[in-house]
Amino acid sequence: QGQCQCRCASPSTANTAPLDLWDAQVEDVMAVYGGLKRWGRTQAPKLILTRGKWSITTPRETNSRAGSADRSVEIVASGRLMFKNLTAGKELFIPRVWCKATVLSEERVDQCFQVDTCITPRHDLSDGYPSPDSHPRKDGYWSTYIVKGGGRTFVDVAVTITPTSTGQLTRRRGDGVEKITSCCLEVGYECYGPDGISQHSQHIALPLKFPDASLEPKRVATGGAADSACEAFAIPTHLLYHGDDPVSVIEKYVKPHVQPGDVLAVAETPLAIMQGRYRHPATIRPSWLAKLLCRCFHPTSSVATACGMQALMDIVGSVRIIAAVVAGIVAKVFRVAGMFYRIAGDQAGLMDDITGTIAPYDKFICLGPQHCEKFVEDVGTTLGIDTAVVDVNDLSKETKMLTILAKARGVDSDCLHKALLANPAGNADQQTPFVLIRQPKA
């Protein structure tokens, strides 16, 4: 399988990446906090950490001996992350950084493999004070560093998964490491400055298993009379993550199977994940207002928790949410449903609270995607595929509700509804974010 193909630069070349690439990552992080608002009011910490640029190496066949192949079972994920001081004139200290890795797999592997994480300070790449280390430390110790106002510094993070002695049987079978699917990292850090010392974290999901894109997609049922109208093919992918370029992923997994006249339906949550629009509850500080307003909603709503409500308030604004709640309560008296979501905006209906998507994103609050129209246009221009971004789930067949966020001009809305109401992509762990809809040939 070899090297993961993604838009991220390898850590060895990340220091030469154009500044706008790092600025884009800062904007991605700030977007889930609602951006830099007036008077600097935001829930984002003054010192933020990006999710970084990653290089992922998966098991591959290597010729270690003449005429024989040795299966390498080591998985290595290495990334370069950036600290950014958002304040203009305050110097902030980073006294400590640590990392915790959680590996997900198709079966239990905790006794078969060892997971090691390594943190390497890269203050030599900063744009402020000289590094306190003459060379990047390799012993895992983090030298306290001062980040100037508006300045930045870097850290390299590496995750290595290797077989243990108790896992040799699995290694000989050659299928143990292939059971590992993904890894979730929590990179924690301390920020010390004029406001005292505080702890923060950044959470990163990484794919470690990549399906064969050349395999024919599986036909799935569209439900009801739609079976006679069109066919639907669910296309599996690796676990999508912030380092994926959506158009490149479609080119890899979808393009080989497209026939003339096909329409591609893209689920909105995977698109949002590739845009980095997810947030761990640990990064949210619910206000008293969020704790109060969330009690007005049904327990199954994504805004029925304090963190879910606060996440929505951060990107929409407190005033708008208060107005939406009041209008929703009044509308209910007159038996008018959905008024809150109409006033609160699209993100209120698109946001998924924890458990709303597949692991490891079931631990995150996932926001709705941005710039759907541009995404559809880019896919059409670059790949020549008519595309639609849709919001559909397992309840759509009963509720008959399906939201089309954006679609190409040539896409028939009725055809989308008939093909997708049964949710052929599924809501479990299928990892099929793309569905090809094919009209029958005349």
Side-chain angles (χ1 to χ4, degrees):
Q1 292 173 316
Q3 195 76 8
C4 166
Q5 298 297 322
C6 64
R7 71 180 179 187
C8 295
S10 65
S12 61
T13 61
N15 60 308
T16 62
L19 180 61
D20 60 341
L21 294 181
W22 289 109
D23 289 342
Q25 288 219 352
V26 172
E27 291 179 0
D28 288 345
V29 173
M30 292 306 301
V32 301
Y33 289 99
L36 289 172
K37 300 178 180 179
R38 288 187 303 169
W39 309 297
R41 290 186 177 181
T42 175
Q43 276 220 343
K46 293 181 174 62
L47 181 72
I48 65 169
L49 179 64
T50 67
R51 292 192 174 103
K53 307 174 186 296
W54 289 84
S55 174
I56 303 169
T57 304
T58 55
R60 59 192 183 275
E61 293 289 335
T62 57
N63 292 324
S64 60
R65 300 178 183 177
S68 65
D70 177 37
R71 180 177 293 274
S72 171
V73 294
E74 185 177 73
I75 296 177
V76 179
S78 53
R80 177 160 295 164
L81 287 62
M82 182 182 75
F83 286 101
K84 177 71 174 181
N85 185 346
L86 297 180
T87 67
K90 297 180 180 179
E91 294 186 341
L92 300 177
F93 299 70
I94 311 175
R96 189 163 69 99
V97 178
W98 63 95
C99 181
K100 177 183 178 182
T102 302
V103 173
L104 285 73
S105 65
E106 297 171 358
E107 62 182 30
R108 184 173 179 179
V109 297
D110 57 339
Q111 296 180 350
C112 298
F113 294 91
Q114 178 176 329
V115 181
D116 296 306
T117 60
C118 178
I119 292 178
T120 304
R122 295 307 307 268
H123 304 314
D124 55 310
L125 303 177
S126 70
D127 58 3
Y129 292 112
S131 171
D133 307 315
S134 57
H135 300 284
R137 301 189 66 102
K138 299 184 182 300
D139 57 1
Y141 182 82
W142 178 269
S143 299
T144 301
Y145 184 75
I146 305 174
V147 185
K148 291 183 176 181
R152 60 179 186 165
T153 190
F154 296 85
V155 56
D156 285 351
V157 179
V159 182
T160 306
I161 304 174
T162 53
T164 63
S165 58
T166 59
Q168 290 303 311
L169 178 61
T170 300
R171 183 179 181 180
R172 287 196 298 270
R173 290 202 309 265
D175 64 352
V177 76
E178 283 82 359
K179 300 294 184 180
I180 296 176
T181 58
S182 59
C183 177
C184 193
L185 298 179
E186 178 184 358
V187 182
Y189 62 98
E190 291 179 339
C191 176
Y192 178 79
D195 297 328
I197 190 168
S198 56
Q199 289 190 357
H200 308 276
S201 60
Q202 180 59 277
H203 299 78
I204 305 154
L206 298 173
L208 300 179
K209 185 175 183 179
F210 301 86
D212 187 350
S214 65
L215 296 178
E216 287 296 322
K218 181 181 179 181
R219 181 183 177 183
V220 290
T222 56
D227 284 332
S228 60
C230 59
E231 297 176 314
F233 300 86
I235 300 179
T237 68
H238 60 268
L239 179 78
L240 301 177
Y241 80 123
H242 76 277
D244 284 319
D245 172 59
V247 177
S248 298
V249 172
I250 292 173
E251 183 177 20
K252 176 181 179 180
Y253 289 105
V254 180
K255 183 66 173 178
H257 310 293
V258 173
Q259 297 182 8
D262 285 356
V263 172
L264 173 63
V266 179
E268 53 92 12
T269 298
L271 178 59
I273 286 173
M274 288 187 283
Q275 295 175 345
R277 292 180 60 75
Y278 56 93
R279 187 177 176 188
H280 197 280
T283 67
I284 300 176
R285 302 187 306 273
S287 63
W288 65 268
L289 184 59
K291 295 176 182 179
L292 175 64
L293 296 181
C294 72
R295 301 175 185 273
C296 300
F297 295 85
H298 190 275
T300 60
S301 171
S302 292
V303 291
T305 62
C307 287
M309 177 60 75
Q310 186 64 55
L312 181 62
M313 291 172 61
D314 287 345
I315 60 176
V316 174
S318 300
V319 174
R320 185 173 180 179
I321 293 300
I322 293 173
V325 171
V326 172
I329 293 175
V330 173
K332 278 188 176 181
V333 176
F334 296 96
R335 298 183 180 181
V336 177
M339 186 58 67
F340 168 81
Y341 295 96
R342 297 178 196 175
I343 298 178
D346 294 337
Q347 288 295 325
L350 296 175
M351 188 181 74
D352 291 320
D353 206 347
I354 63 172
T355 75
T357 186
I358 65 171
Y361 296 110
D362 62 323
K363 300 293 191 294
F364 295 84
I365 296 172
C366 294
L367 308 177
Q370 287 183 318
H371 315 304
C372 294
E373 294 285 354
K374 184 179 184 304
F375 162 73
V376 167
E377 181 181 348
D378 290 344
V379 174
T381 302
T382 306
L383 305 177
I385 305 174
D386 285 340
T387 305
V389 180
V390 299
D391 180 17
V392 61
N393 54 52
D394 286 337
L395 296 177
S396 295
K397 189 173 182 179
E398 298 178 7
T399 62
K400 306 298 181 182
M401 293 180 61
L402 181 150
T403 303
I404 301 174
L405 305 183
K407 69 180 182 68
R409 289 185 178 180
V411 176
D412 186 345
S413 298
D414 291 337
C415 179
L416 282 178
H417 279 81
K418 292 177 181 178
L420 299 177
L421 276 180
N423 193 25
N427 268 95
D429 58 355
Q430 292 93 338
Q431 281 187 211
T432 51
F434 307 129
V435 175
L436 265 182
I437 302 171
R438 184 166 298 159
Q439 295 280 2
K441 296 181 180 180

